[in-house]
Amino acid sequence: MLEAIVFILGLLIGSFLNVCIYRIPRGESIVFPASHCPACRKPVRPYDNIPLLGFLLLRGRCRLCRAPISWRYPLVELLHGLGYLFILHQFGYSVQALVYALLFSSLVVVTFIDLSHQIVPDVITLPGMVLGLIAASTVLPPGPINSLIGLFLGGGLFYLVAVLSIAVLKKEGMGGGDIKLIAMIGAFLGWKGMLLTIFLAALAGSIIGLFLVFIRGRNRAEPIPFGPFLALGAMVSLFWGAEILNWYLLLGRS
Ligand SMILES: [Zn+2]
């Protein structure tokens, strides 16, 4: 029963995050005006705005102008609802779970904005760094020192990559948004979780990158946004980081 409530809460917040994903990169207010169809600008009726069900009942089209509604809307809602369920399962009813839910929501917004606009918005990452530091100093396991190291080491490493790729490769290899994003992740997870995040993100990014180049024939020069991989790496690191590190250390000893 309580799981169902958390899942529905995740769906509802996911529906609000869709608004953020659409409006933040366009510089629009996230509270006003109420949801409207991007094609005909008409307001969405409350019963059509119900997460998942609205999309299914409308069969993916606007009620008024029949313009297709992006698959991103139900996908974000479902992903977000399932994410909340999983955080509850891993961390129970705790303050940690609440903070991690907030981190997860921020990373979902970052992921989908980066996928469609190739930017990681400061309005998420800058307050995220502050919140990460405060949370890690009070209720999260890393503690203040570890969190500070995570923030500055993560940001510093990516800054170095950015400077080096401009100096050596004469092209931008790392955006400013990614620098702030890894700093924020470092603040929440501490330096070990942050390094594991980079490792997992680079691994997943390489696999997907090769897949896109060889299978889909994507142009190699076309950049692939790195934010979604960092978000994925951070979540895997949060949920299974201890197991992965233990397994890695055992390998080193044998
Ligand atoms: Zn419409």
Side-chain angles (χ1 to χ4, degrees):
M1 183 58 200
L2 284 166
E3 274 93 348
I5 292 173
V6 167
F7 179 64
I8 290 169
L9 186 72
L11 290 180
L12 287 170
I13 296 176
S15 174
F16 169 69
L17 298 184
N18 272 318
V19 176
C20 299
I21 291 164
Y22 184 84
R23 294 187 187 179
I24 287 174
R26 292 172 172 82
E28 297 173 8
S29 158
I30 54 169
V31 280
F32 187 83
S35 295
H36 51 260
C37 164
C40 65
R41 316 297 297 174
K42 297 260 170 53
V44 178
R45 294 169 195 201
Y47 48 83
D48 288 340
N49 219 358
I50 300 169
L52 291 183
L53 290 179
F55 185 88
L56 292 176
L57 293 175
L58 291 170
R59 293 203 204 90
R61 289 182 176 276
C62 169
R63 180 183 290 277
L64 299 163
C65 72
R66 312 299 300 155
I69 303 166
S70 169
W71 52 267
R72 197 190 68 210
Y73 289 87
L75 177 74
V76 165
E77 287 158 0
L78 186 63
L79 175 75
H80 195 258
L82 292 176
Y84 268 29
L85 259 189
F86 197 66
I87 290 168
L88 176 71
H89 174 256
Q90 295 287 94
F91 300 100
Y93 293 92
S94 59
V95 189
Q96 277 109 308
L98 206 64
V99 176
Y100 288 140
L102 207 57
L103 173 66
F104 173 67
S105 301
S106 320
L107 292 176
V108 167
V109 173
V110 164
T111 293
F112 286 91
I113 289 180
D114 202 9
L115 282 176
S116 29
H117 300 270
Q118 283 77 49
I119 50 164
V120 176
D122 285 352
V123 287
I124 305 281
T125 51
L126 296 182
M129 283 182 216
V130 178
L131 181 78
L133 274 178
I134 295 172
S137 308
T138 49
V139 291
L140 299 186
I145 306 293
N146 192 343
S147 168
L148 267 177
I149 297 174
L151 191 156
F152 284 105
L153 184 64
L157 280 173
F158 272 28
Y159 180 73
L160 200 67
V161 172
V163 171
L164 283 178
S165 57
I166 288 172
V168 179
L169 305 170
K170 310 283 178 224
K171 64 175 186 183
E172 195 179 282
M174 185 67 67
D178 292 325
I179 298 174
K180 285 168 242 175
L181 180 58
I182 193 64
M184 166 183 148
I185 291 169
F188 277 97
L189 303 186
W191 69 269
K192 276 188 203 165
M194 180 277 295
L195 289 180
L196 184 60
T197 298
I198 296 179
F199 172 76
L200 294 170
L203 186 69
S206 314
I207 294 168
I208 301 288
L210 285 176
F211 173 81
L212 289 175
V213 168
F214 288 109
I215 314 287
R216 305 268 307 271
R218 191 186 173 111
N219 182 359
R220 224 175 276 236
E222 213 177 308
I224 299 166
F226 198 44
F229 295 109
L230 287 174
L232 179 70
M235 280 297 123
V236 172
S237 177
L238 172 65
F239 292 135
W240 299 286
E243 281 90 339
I244 296 172
L245 289 174
N246 279 339
W247 172 73
Y248 184 75
L249 291 175
L250 281 177
L251 277 186
R253 230 176 276 148
S254 60

